[in-house]
Structure formats: structure tokens, C-alpha cells
């Protein structure tokens, strides 16, 4: 019987949808409380704790650029073609780079701002690097818009005014860095020329003032020789300036080629490469000597003169030899016959050859200028002073004119560079409302979270709560539908329940005739201390008696003395000691444990013998015991024909119910508190 009962309980361990619904019904107040607490805490956080965060946004359009250049892009550059579109991820990294954010921190003095914002500003040790990391990680966000060359910049901060300034500063510094990275050799030369122009202009004005002062204070009529000397100075000066600018251009071109070679080879930084060899150095010296010789000849002859043409032919031969030697040296640097690197190194050799040729030519021009200075030393002092002033004026004028012309040329050649920098499509603006926290969204999320937490708490409480809370739970555990009695207890209100329980115990025989000669022993107990058990037993005994069934109630708890007149009941000691059974001829008799009885008097053999003798004269013997896990319940359950177990919500517990569910011919009574 016990194994069958355990098996029945185990079979009911599966949880169905109806079980879940019943659990939620049982724990509805816990679920509601959890939901309300979750929403309330969210409201407290939103209105009293959370700091509003403002988001300042901007959209930047990326142009075509050589940044993030692939092999095909490098080849296109070598061959004079256009570059590929930039790698958006690379530009995002530039926006959040130390170079950009570091300038933002310095411009807005963010180090002091975040120090003052700390709880203990005096104790905070904050560095510029930490502020930069904070900006990159928590404040400044840059994301790419799918399938476009657009970057969305977002600055999230609780101070909307400062956030707006940070967004503006990030954009400004990023564009400056992008322009710097986008420069080619003409851009670098253009910057150099623009830097030199104000200096030369100032020097020209100073020399012109000195020359005018000389002409006012001293009278001098220049001779043809002096005028020729001044003209020679003018010509040489123009050539020197043009040669110096050409050298600057060649150096910028070499730097750009080295940068592109590094990009193609996947190097993190641009590497400067200068080919060299003993033969190359000898050729450079020879080229320098020939250029000096050519400059000296030009003082005596025109460019069409035969001696000048002979030297120029030798110079071209030396240039070719230098270029061939450079190609031989750089070809060893090309890995696996890479065509792109081959083109780049060939261009590098050509640029280096041009630079060396220009340097040699400059040396020749300087030698010629020195020769003119030697000629000038032969003239009288006043003429030397005049020539020196006129020479300096001519030199500065020629230099200024050449730089101005070069500036205009480079300005036109780099005009397209302004279209090759990032453009701000949507300017940042100060928002009216904070972006975070989103109160409506957070309340909705907290509501959903509260429901899920409530369900979780309900199931956890269900798993840990040993109490039986409703009739459905009792049925789910035992697999038996109980007889339901209602409170407050009223016999008229529970008539149907009495009949139902009677049928379960005796069947449908409601006649007054005597039934079986042997009385039916009914064991009545409860899961937990339930006072209503005595009332149910008493009303049930009166119901039996009303049907003509001679009924004996044996109360082992002693609680029945509160329901009946004590004079009408026997104590256990009296029951054991009496010899006459005739007094039990009445339809309802009581044996109640009194305070004077021995604790376990019902274990007395005489007691049990007396009970067995009464089976011939009684129709029903009802034995009331304490809890279902008590010794009395176990003892009388073995000798009883049926057991009635009373369950009350919030009082009865599952472990004790296990003992009652294992009784033989068990019937459950549920007390409805409603």
C-alpha cells in the first residue's frame, strides 16, 4: 500500500499548464507585490537617482582618400589614377585616436573639469591619458552607417553644453588630422612656400629701404660693368631660388614615395629609404664637379656655346649612370617581383636622381655666385656698397617673385585637396531633452521584468514553501479529490459534505437498520494541529447517530472535552477499568483522554481488548488522533478500516501529508476558509 501511494505521488510530479496557472493563482499577491516593488524602484531610480545623459550627434561624410590604400590603390597612384574609397573603420579609429582626443582634452581643459566633478577632488589623481581613455570608451562614439561613407558621431554626457563643445572640438581636430594625412608632395611644398613668403617679403622691404636711403644720401652713376654685374647677380639668384624650390619638391616627392612604399608593404610607420653605394657616391661627386664647371662656363659663354654643350652631354651621361645604379640597388628591395613595389621603387630612383642633380646644380650656381663676389671685390668701396645693396634687393625680389609664382602654381595644383577632406553633413546641436534614461522604455522594461521576476519569485516560493494552500494543490499531490467543509462551521451548511463523506465510508446505505455485526473502525486525524478536526468529527458522529448507527468516539487528543458535557464521557482509565459494556447501547458514546490518564494509556492491552469487544455492539468506532505523523495515528491506522485526514490551507504541510497519504482506505477532508 505504501509503495503504491508513493508511486501515485511521484506520478503527479509532472507540471502541466493548469498546474502553472494554479501556482500563479496561489501566489498572485506575491507576483503583484514583486511587480509593484520593481516598478516602484524603477520610478525612484528614474526621478531621484538617475543622472540624465544628453546625446549630441553629428554626421560626417568621408571623401576619397589614399588612407587605407590597397595594392590596387597604390598601383593607381603610381600610374596616375584615382584612389579608392577610404576604410570607414580606419577613419573611426582616427576620430577616437589619442592625437584627436588629446587635443580635445587640452582645448576644453577637460582634465580640470573631471577632477572637479569627482566626489573628492583633492584626493583624485587623474591624468590626461585617463581622460582620453574615458572619452574614447564612455563619451565619444563613432559608428559607420551601413553601405555608405558616412560616420555618425555621438557625444554622450550629462552636461549638454560641454557635450556640444566636445563634439565641435572632435570634428575640428579630426578634420585637421585628416587634412594632414591627406597631404601629398605638392601640399608639403605649398606649406613650405607659404611659410617662407612673409619672411622674404619682410627682408625685401628692409633691403629696399636701405637702397633708397643709399640713393638719397650718395650720388653714384653705375657703369656698364656694374650694371652687367648686377644683371648677372639677378640671373644667378633666380636660378638658385628655382633650384632650391625644385629640391624641396623632390624631397617632398621622395617622402611621399617612401610613405606609399610603407603602406604597400604593410608597415605601421613610413620608413625613409636612401640607397647608397661606393660607385653611387663617386658618380655624385663627378656630377657635382660637372655642374660647377657648367656654371663657370656660363659666365663666359652662352648656353649654345660648344664647351657648354659638351659639359651638358657629360652631365646627362652621369645622370643616367646614377639612375641605373639606383635602379640596381632598389631592385634588390622588391619582394617576389611585386609590380607595384617595382613601379614605386623606380619612381623613387628617378626622384633621388633628380634631387642629386639639382643639388649638384645648386653647388655650381653657388660657385658662380662666389665668383661674382670676387669680381665685386675689385671695385671701389662705394660701388661695392651699391652693388651689394642692389644685389641683395635683386636677390630678395627674385626670391619673392619666384615664391609667389610657385605659391600660385601649387595653390592651383592642390585646389582639389579641399574636396578630399571629411565634410560635416549634420552639424552638432544642443538637444532639448536627455536621451537617457528613456523613462517610458525603462518603465515598460521594468514592468515586463517585474512580471518575470514575480513569476520567478512565485515559483521559487512554491518550491520552498511546504504549506498546502489550496484544494487543487492537495489533489495534485495525492491524486484524490477531497470532501470540502466550509467555515465558519455549520452543520446545515455542510450537510452535503457530511453525506459525501458518509458515502465514502459506508457506501449508499442510509437505512436505520443495523448493518454489519462487526463495527467499522474509522481513524480521524489531521495534517497539522487543526481544531476544526474535532468539530467535523463531532458533527459526523451526530450524523451517524441520526442515521441510527451506534457510534463510539475515542478521542486520544483530549480536545473533545470542550465540545460535550464531560459527565457524558468516560476517561481512558474508566474505560479500561469498567466491566459492563451495556452502557454503550446508546447511539452515541464518548471516551475522551483526560488529564489524569496515563500518556499512552491506549497502548494498554486491556484498552485494545475493550475496543475489539465493542465491535459487536457498535456500528462505528471513530478514533481521533493528533497529527498524521504522530505515534497515535500510526498505531490506530493499522487497526482501523478507513482513515479520514483533515487538511487546512496554510496550516497543513506537504511532508506531513505524505504520512497521511500512505494510510489505507484514506479519505481527505478539505477545510475551505472562505
Amino acid at each position: 500500500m505504501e509503495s503504491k501511494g508513493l508511486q501515485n505521488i511521484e506520478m503527479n510530479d509532472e507540471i502541466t499548464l493548469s498546474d502553472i496557472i494554479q501556482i500563479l493563482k496561489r501566489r498572485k499577491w506575491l507576483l503583484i507585490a514583486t511587480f509593484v516593488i520593481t516598478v516602484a524602484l524603477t520610478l525612484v531610480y528614474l526621478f531621484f537617482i538617475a543622472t540624465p545623459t544628453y546625446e549630441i550627434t553629428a554626421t560626417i561624410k568621408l571623401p576619397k582618400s589614399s588612407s587605407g590604400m590597397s595594392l590596387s590603390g597604390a598601383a593607381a597612384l603610381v600610374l596616375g589614377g584615382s584612389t579608392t574609397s577610404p576604410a570607414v573603420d580606419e577613419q573611426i579609429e582616427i576620430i577616437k585616436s589619442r592625437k584627436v582626443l588629446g587635443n580635445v582634452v587640452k582645448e576644453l581643459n577637460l582634465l580640470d573639469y573631471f577632477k572637479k566633478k569627482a566626489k573628492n577632488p583633492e584626493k583624485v589623481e587623474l591624468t590626461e591619458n585617463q581622460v582620453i581613455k574615458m572619452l574614447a570608451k564612455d563619451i565619444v562614439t563613432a559608428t559607420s552607417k551601413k553601405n555608405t561613407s558616412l560616420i555618425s558621431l555621438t557625444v554622450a554626457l550629462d552636461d549638454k553644453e560641454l557635450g556640444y563643445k566636445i563634439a565641435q572640438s572632435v570634428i575640428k581636430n579630426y578634420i585637421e588630422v585628416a587634412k594632414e594625412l591627406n597631404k601629398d608632395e605638392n601640399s608639403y611644398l605649398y606649406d613650405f612656400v607659404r611659410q617662407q613668403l612673409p619672411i622674404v617679403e619682410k627682408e625685401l622691404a628692409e633691403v629696399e629701404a636701405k637702397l633708397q636711403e643709399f640713393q638719397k644720401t650718395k650720388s653714384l652713376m653705375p657703369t656698364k660693368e656694374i650694371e652687367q654685374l648686377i644683371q648677372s647677380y639677378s640671373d644667378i639668384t633666380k636660378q638658385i631660388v628655382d633650384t632650391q624650390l625644385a629640391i624641396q619638391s623632390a624631397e617632398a616627392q621622395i617622402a611621399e614615395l617612401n610613405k606609399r612604399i610603407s603602406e604597400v608593404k604593410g608597415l605601421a610607420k613610413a620608413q625613409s629609404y636612401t640607397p647608397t653605394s661606393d660607385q653611387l657616391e663617386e658618380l655624385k661627386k663627378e656630377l657635382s664637379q660637372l655642374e660647377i664647371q657648367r656654371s663657370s662656363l656660363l659666365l663666359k659663354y652662352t648656353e649654345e656655346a660648344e664647351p657648354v654643350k659638351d659639359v651638358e652631354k657629360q652631365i646627362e651621361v652621369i645622370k643616367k649612370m646614377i639612375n641605373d645604379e639606383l635602379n640596381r640597388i632598389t631592385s634588390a628591395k622588391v619582394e617576389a617581383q611585386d609590380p607595384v613595389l617595382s613601379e614605386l621603387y623606380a619612381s623613387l630612383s628617378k626622384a633621388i636622381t633628380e634631387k642629386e642633380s639639382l643639388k649638384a646644380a645648386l653647388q655650381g650656381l653657388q660657385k658662380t655666385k662666389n665668383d661674382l663676389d670676387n669680381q665685386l671685390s675689385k671695385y671701389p668701396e662705394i660701388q661695392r656698397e651699391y652693388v651689394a645693396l642692389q644685389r641683395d634687393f635683386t636677390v630678395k625680389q627674385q626670391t619673392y617673385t619666384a615664391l609667389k609664382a610657385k605659391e600660385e602654381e601649387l595653390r592651383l595644383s592642390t585646389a582639389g585637396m579641399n574636396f578630399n577632406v571629411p565634410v560635416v553633413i549634420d552639424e552638432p546641436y544642443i538637444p532639448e531633452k536627455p536621451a537617457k534614461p528613456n523613462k517610458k522604455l525603462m518603465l515598460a522594461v521594468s514592468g515586463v521584468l517585474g512580471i518575470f521576476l514575480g513569476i520567478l519569485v512565485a515559483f521559487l516560493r512554491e518550491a520552498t514553501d511546504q504549506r498546502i494552500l489550496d484544494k487543487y494543490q492537495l489533489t495534485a499531490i495525492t491524486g484524490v479529490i477531497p470532501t470540502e467543509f466550509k467555515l465558519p462551521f455549520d452543520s446545515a451548511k455542510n450537510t452535503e459534505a457530511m453525506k459525501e463523506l458518509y458515502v465514502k465510508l459506508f457506501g449508499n446505505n442510509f437505512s436505520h437498520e443495523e448493518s454489519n455485526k462487526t463495527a467499522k473502525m474509522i481513524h480521524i486525524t489531521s495534517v497539522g494541529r487543526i481544531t476544526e478536526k474535532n468539530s467535523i468529527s463531532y458533527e459526523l458522529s451526530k450524523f451517524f447517530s441520526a442515521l441510527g448507527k451506534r457510534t463510539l468516539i475515542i478521542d486520544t487528543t483530549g480536545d473533545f472535552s470542550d465540545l460535550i458535557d464531560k459527565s457524558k464521557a468516560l476517561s481512558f482509565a474508566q474505560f479500561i477499568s469498567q466491566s459492563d459494556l451495556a452502557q454503550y447501547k446508546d447511539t452515541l458514546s464518548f471516551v475522551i483522554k483526560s488529564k489524569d490518564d496515563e500518556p499512552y494509556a491506549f497502548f494498554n492491552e486491556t484498552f485494545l481488548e475493550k475496543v475489539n469487544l465493542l465491535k459487536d455492539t457498535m456500528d462505528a468506532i471513530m478514533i481521533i488522533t493528533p497529527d498524521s505523523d504522530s505515534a497515535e495515528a500510526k498505531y490506530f491506522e493499522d487497526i482501523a478500516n478507513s482513515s479520514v485526514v483533515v487538511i487546512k490551507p496554510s496550516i497543513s504541510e506537504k511532508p506531513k501529508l505524505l504520512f497521511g497519504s500512505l494510510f489505507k482506505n484514506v479519505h481527505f477532508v478539505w477545510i475551505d476558509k472562505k
Side-chain angles (χ1 to χ4, degrees):
M1 180 67 186
E2 292 185 2
S3 61
K4 183 178 179 181
L6 286 171
Q7 184 180 6
N8 186 42
I9 293 174
E10 290 174 359
M11 288 175 63
N12 288 299
D13 283 344
E14 294 182 4
I15 297 179
T16 62
L17 179 60
S18 60
D19 293 332
I20 294 174
I21 294 173
Q22 290 298 327
I23 289 173
L24 296 180
K25 283 184 177 179
R26 282 196 296 271
R27 308 292 176 177
K28 62 181 180 181
W29 294 113
L30 186 60
L31 194 154
I32 293 171
T34 304
F35 173 82
V36 171
I37 291 171
T38 304
V39 174
L41 290 175
T42 304
L43 288 171
V44 170
Y45 170 77
L46 289 175
F47 289 98
F48 300 101
I49 300 175
T51 302
T53 300
Y54 296 87
E55 288 188 354
I56 294 86
T57 60
T59 303
I60 304 171
K61 184 182 184 304
L62 301 180
K64 290 183 178 181
S65 171
S66 60
S67 61
M69 180 172 56
S70 61
L71 289 178
S72 59
L77 283 172
V78 173
L79 299 175
S82 62
T83 61
T84 59
S85 295
V88 178
D89 289 342
E90 180 181 289
Q91 297 303 311
I92 290 174
E93 291 302 319
I94 292 174
I95 290 175
K96 302 182 74 171
S97 65
R98 185 180 300 276
K99 186 176 182 65
V100 172
L101 297 183
N103 290 335
V104 173
V105 172
K106 292 175 183 176
E107 286 178 5
L108 302 178
N109 197 19
L110 296 181
L111 185 60
D112 290 343
Y113 171 81
F114 285 110
K115 278 185 177 179
K116 292 177 182 177
K117 195 176 179 182
K119 292 182 179 179
N120 298 314
E122 302 81 7
K123 299 181 180 179
V124 173
E125 295 182 2
L126 197 63
T127 64
E128 183 176 317
N129 287 336
Q130 290 174 327
V131 176
I132 292 172
K133 288 181 180 179
M134 187 190 307
L135 286 177
K137 183 180 179 183
D138 302 324
I139 299 175
V140 178
T141 304
T143 56
S144 61
K145 295 191 176 181
K146 190 175 181 181
N147 298 327
T148 67
S149 59
L150 300 177
I151 291 179
S152 178
L153 176 69
T154 303
V155 176
L157 201 65
D158 55 357
D159 187 338
K160 58 183 178 181
E161 300 286 346
L162 180 61
Y164 173 71
K165 292 178 182 178
I166 291 174
Q168 285 188 316
S169 182
V170 168
I171 292 172
K172 179 177 75 71
N173 284 283
Y174 164 61
I175 292 176
E176 289 177 358
V177 171
K179 285 181 179 179
E180 184 70 21
L181 295 174
N182 197 39
K183 286 183 178 180
D184 61 5
E185 62 270 18
N186 287 337
S187 301
Y188 288 108
L189 186 58
Y190 182 58
D191 291 343
F192 171 76
V193 171
R194 292 189 64 187
Q195 290 172 1
Q196 293 299 316
L197 266 174
I199 299 173
V200 174
E201 186 176 9
K202 181 181 178 182
E203 292 176 349
L204 175 61
E206 292 175 352
V207 172
E208 185 178 12
K210 290 180 181 179
L211 181 60
Q212 290 175 353
E213 181 67 21
F214 179 86
Q215 290 174 341
K216 288 179 182 179
T217 56
K218 299 179 182 179
S219 176
L220 177 66
M221 291 294 295
T223 62
K224 289 185 178 181
E225 291 82 0
I226 293 297
E227 289 179 351
Q228 182 64 40
L229 186 60
I230 291 173
Q231 183 62 42
S232 298
Y233 267 119
S234 176
D235 294 341
I236 289 296
T237 300
K238 184 177 184 306
Q239 294 179 46
I240 289 175
V241 172
D242 290 343
T243 304
Q244 287 174 335
L245 288 174
I247 290 173
Q248 288 287 339
S249 180
E251 288 178 345
Q253 186 179 7
I254 290 170
E256 181 65 17
L257 286 167
N258 277 322
K259 175 185 173 184
R260 294 175 186 173
I261 289 170
S262 299
E263 288 176 348
V264 173
K265 295 174 71 174
L267 301 177
K269 295 182 180 179
Q271 303 293 318
S272 177
Y273 173 61
T274 305
T276 183
S277 70
D278 293 340
Q279 184 178 355
L280 184 62
E281 295 301 319
E282 291 296 327
L283 290 172
K284 287 180 184 179
K285 290 178 182 178
E286 189 172 348
L287 178 62
S288 178
Q289 292 172 0
L290 287 172
E291 288 287 353
I292 292 172
Q293 185 180 348
R294 176 178 174 277
S295 299
S296 299
L297 290 173
L298 286 174
L299 291 175
K300 301 176 183 180
Y301 307 102
T302 64
E303 291 185 354
E304 300 299 325
E306 194 67 27
V308 175
K309 287 186 176 182
D310 289 341
V311 173
E312 286 179 347
K313 288 179 182 179
Q314 295 179 47
I315 289 174
E316 291 300 321
V317 172
I318 296 299
K319 282 184 178 181
K320 186 177 183 307
M321 293 175 66
I322 289 175
N323 193 61
D324 291 343
E325 178 64 14
L326 286 170
N327 284 332
R328 184 190 67 79
I329 297 171
T330 56
S331 62
K333 299 286 290 182
V334 182
E335 295 88 351
Q337 299 299 319
D338 190 319
V340 176
L341 283 176
S342 296
E343 291 287 347
L344 289 173
Y345 275 119
S347 299
L348 180 63
S349 299
K350 185 177 179 181
I352 293 174
T353 302
E354 182 67 20
K355 176 186 172 183
E356 295 300 330
S357 175
L358 290 169
K359 287 173 67 176
L362 183 62
Q363 290 180 357
L365 293 171
Q366 292 287 359
K367 175 66 170 58
T368 302
K369 182 175 178 299
N370 292 336
D371 291 341
L372 291 175
D373 289 339
N374 291 332
Q375 291 182 29
L376 180 62
S377 63
K378 298 176 182 179
Y379 291 90
E381 182 178 353
I382 190 170
Q383 291 182 337
R384 292 200 305 272
E385 185 179 356
Y386 172 74
V387 172
L389 287 172
Q390 192 67 46
R391 177 199 63 194
D392 291 345
F393 175 73
T394 303
V395 168
K396 298 302 180 184
Q397 191 177 46
Q398 290 285 353
T399 302
Y400 181 78
T401 302
L403 287 173
K404 197 67 178 174
K406 194 68 177 178
E407 180 193 30
E408 186 64 18
E409 176 189 341
L410 293 171
R411 187 183 67 80
L412 292 174
S413 67
T414 58
M417 297 297 293
N418 292 329
F419 299 100
N420 207 24
V421 295
V423 178
V424 181
I425 303 297
D426 291 332
E427 294 284 347
Y429 65 93
I430 300 177
E432 297 178 359
K433 296 180 179 180
K436 296 177 183 178
N438 187 330
K439 294 181 180 179
K440 291 182 179 179
L441 178 61
M442 286 196 69
L443 280 174
V445 171
S446 68
V448 175
L449 179 62
I451 292 173
F452 279 103
L453 284 177
I455 293 172
L456 177 62
V457 170
F459 276 95
L460 288 175
R461 184 67 182 118
E462 183 73 16
T464 57
D465 193 354
Q466 298 297 327
R467 297 175 302 163
I468 299 170
L469 302 178
D470 59 30
K471 185 171 63 173
Y472 182 89
Q473 191 176 18
L474 171 62
T475 303
I477 294 173
T478 63
V480 177
I481 298 176
T483 300
E484 185 175 345
F485 283 79
K486 298 183 181 298
L487 291 180
F489 197 85
D490 188 318
S491 58
K493 186 189 298 183
N494 293 288
T495 302
E496 294 300 321
M498 291 290 187
K499 292 179 180 180
E500 180 183 339
L501 187 57
Y502 177 86
V503 170
K504 289 181 180 180
L505 293 172
F506 294 98
N508 293 322
N509 182 15
F510 286 91
S511 66
H512 291 273
E513 299 177 358
E514 293 185 2
S515 55
N516 299 328
K517 291 183 178 180
T518 302
K520 188 165 188 176
M521 294 188 66
I522 303 170
H523 169 224
I524 301 178
T525 187
S526 60
V527 178
R529 292 286 182 175
I530 301 173
T531 57
E532 290 83 359
K533 170 183 63 178
N534 297 322
S535 298
I536 292 173
S537 301
Y538 184 47
E539 292 298 326
L540 187 61
S541 66
K542 290 194 295 182
F543 183 77
F544 290 172
S545 178
L547 291 175
K549 293 194 177 291
R550 291 164 298 178
T551 305
L552 171 64
I553 292 181
I554 300 176
D555 176 27
T556 64
T557 64
D559 297 332
F560 246 81
S561 57
D562 298 330
L563 298 175
I564 64 171
D565 186 357
K566 295 181 182 180
S567 62
K568 296 180 180 181
L570 297 176
S571 67
F572 278 15
Q574 292 172 337
F575 177 72
I576 294 171
S577 62
Q578 73 176 356
S579 58
D580 185 10
L581 298 179
Q583 58 183 308
Y584 299 103
K585 295 293 183 181
D586 296 335
T587 56
L588 183 58
S589 303
F590 300 93
V591 177
I592 301 173
K593 181 182 178 182
S594 67
K595 296 179 180 178
D596 298 328
D597 288 330
E598 295 292 331
Y600 298 103
F602 51 84
F603 287 130
N604 189 299
E605 292 182 3
T606 306
F607 182 90
L608 188 56
E609 289 175 1
K610 290 277 188 180
V611 171
N612 288 327
L613 288 173
L614 287 173
K615 286 181 181 181
D616 296 331
T617 59
M618 309 300 292
D619 294 316
I621 299 176
M622 298 172 59
I623 304 173
I624 315 302
T625 63
D627 297 357
S628 58
D629 60 342
S630 65
E632 295 92 327
K634 182 61 177 173
Y635 177 75
F636 286 107
E637 185 272 332
D638 289 336
I639 64 175
N641 302 113
S642 300
S643 293
V644 175
V645 178
V646 180
I647 311 294
K648 186 177 181 180
S650 301
I651 301 297
S652 300
E653 296 181 350
K654 297 173 187 177
K656 292 184 178 181
L657 176 61
L658 178 62
F659 290 97
S661 63
L662 298 178
F663 294 162
K664 60 186 176 182
N665 297 325
V666 63
H667 305 287
F668 293 99
V669 170
W670 176 258
I671 298 177
D672 190 353
K673 294 194 295 184
K674 295 181 182 179

